[in-house]
């Protein structure tokens, strides 16, 4: 798909644009998978969450070079890079000549927890720049720009569909279906909610894990097809266990104990951060009681509950507020 030019707008509106992007709640599955050419590729399936996100506003300054972009607040270097790349991309299409300008970012995403905060900033930025140029950029183009700006990217530009996404290449390896199985997720923050420097994490050879990840990929494909929440939980828990060889969360054993005691389908973590969740089937008898027991058990273990949300239409659940909303620079996803 290629970019398209929107119908002409008034001159006053062609110089300003807005964009928004959602976040996610870590991953259901992340590892190394064989692509269509049988090459091992790092890829992931994210757990979407409505609500928090980034909003960008880009105002072009006539006469400014496309490389002259300032960002408010300062320090959002990835978003600034994305704005410059987006301006260059838009210049190749039939819109008015793009100029540099000012990018303003707002949002309520915690940084460094593994919720895709930097990707949300970048995608919102690209959409705002394109909007200011009167150009519609397709998701594949936004993904390419995001990877160039960040080094790796989450698949937020593609919406909430469950995708196996090669985060370092910005491409979809497999569309698993239209939606994840229904689940109620009790979110929490591990490590005291401290950000994780992804680049400081050790790397591991994945050759021995290829068969395990291929099996989990097949299981997740079946879970999505059958809307099987129990199988979804098995996949996310197995993936989280594999990732513990790198992250080594001290609270992970407590998470799995609480999941077992409260009848959760499984646990999930951000594979490059400290956000985690316990997944429940919304059809489980006594769900609200189980959710309250879960929140109390987490607090008793010194783990902060953050937010309860759903992957699909299901009973409304109590929501918590984010407890770590600091905006500290985060490293690229591994």
């Amino acid at each position: 798909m290629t970019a398209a030019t929107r119908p002409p707008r008034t001159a006053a509106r062609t110089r300003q644009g807005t964009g928004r992007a959602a976040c996610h709640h870590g991953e259901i599955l992340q590892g190394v998978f064989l692509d269509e050419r049988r090459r091992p590729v790092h890829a992931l399936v994210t757990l979407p969450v409505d609500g928090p996100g980034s909003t960008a506003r880009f105002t072009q300054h006539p006469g400014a070079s496309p490389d002259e972009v300032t960002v408010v607040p300062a320090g959002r270097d990835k978003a600034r890079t994305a704005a410059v790349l987006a301006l260059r991309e838009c210049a190749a299409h039939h819109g008015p000549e793009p100029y540099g300008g000012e990018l303003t970012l707002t949002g309520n995403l915690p940084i460094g927890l593994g919720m895709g905060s930097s990707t949300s900033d970048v995608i919102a930025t690209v959409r705002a720049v394109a909007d200011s140029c009167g150009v519609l950029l397709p998701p594949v183009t936004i993904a390419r720009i995001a990877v160039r700006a960040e080094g790796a990217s989450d698949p937020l530009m593609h919406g909430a569909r469950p995708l196996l996404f090669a985060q370092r290449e910005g491409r979809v390896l497999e569309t698993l279906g239209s939606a994840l199985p229904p689940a109620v997720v009790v979110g929490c923050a591990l490590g005291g909610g401290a950000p994780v420097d992804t680049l400081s994490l050790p790397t591991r050879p994945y050759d021995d894990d290829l068969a395990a990840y291929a099996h989990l990929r097949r299981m997740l494909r079946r879970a999505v097809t059958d809307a099987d929440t129990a199988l979804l939980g098995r996949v996310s828990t197995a993936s989280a266990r594999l990732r513990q060889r790198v992250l080594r969360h001290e609270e992970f054993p407590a998470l799995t104990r609480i999941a077992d005691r409260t009848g959760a389908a499984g646990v999930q973590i951000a594979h490059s951060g400290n956000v985690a969740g316990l997944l429940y089937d919304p059809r489980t008898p006594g769900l609200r009681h189980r959710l309250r027991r879960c929140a109390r058990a987490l607090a008793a273990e010194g783990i902060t509950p953050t937010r309860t949300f759903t992957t699909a239409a299901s009973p409304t659940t109590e929501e918590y507020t984010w407890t770590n909303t600091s905006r500290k620079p985060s490293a690229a996803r591994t």
Side-chain angles (χ1 to χ4, degrees), residues 115-184:
M115 295 179 62
S117 57
S118 60
T119 296
S120 184
D121 280 352
V122 164
I123 295 173
T125 294
V126 173
R127 288 172 172 165
V129 169
D131 186 45
S132 76
C133 296
V135 173
L136 294 173
L137 295 178
V140 291
T141 301
I142 298 175
R144 173 167 50 80
I145 293 173
V147 169
R148 289 185 62 189
E150 292 193 82
S153 173
D154 300 298
L156 301 175
M157 69 291 295
H158 289 283
R161 290 179 302 161
L163 307 173
L164 183 63
F165 186 77
Q167 70 268 30
R168 298 178 180 179
E169 300 179 9
R171 64 189 181 96
V172 177
L173 298 185
E174 181 180 354
T175 300
L176 298 166
S178 60
L180 287 171
V184 178

Side-chain angles (χ1 to χ4, degrees), residues 27-40:
E27 284 71 43
I28 290 293
L29 175 62
Q30 179 172 333
V32 177
F33 306 85
L34 296 180
D35 69 2
E36 68 281 359
R37 290 185 286 173
R38 307 296 295 172
R39 296 185 308 128

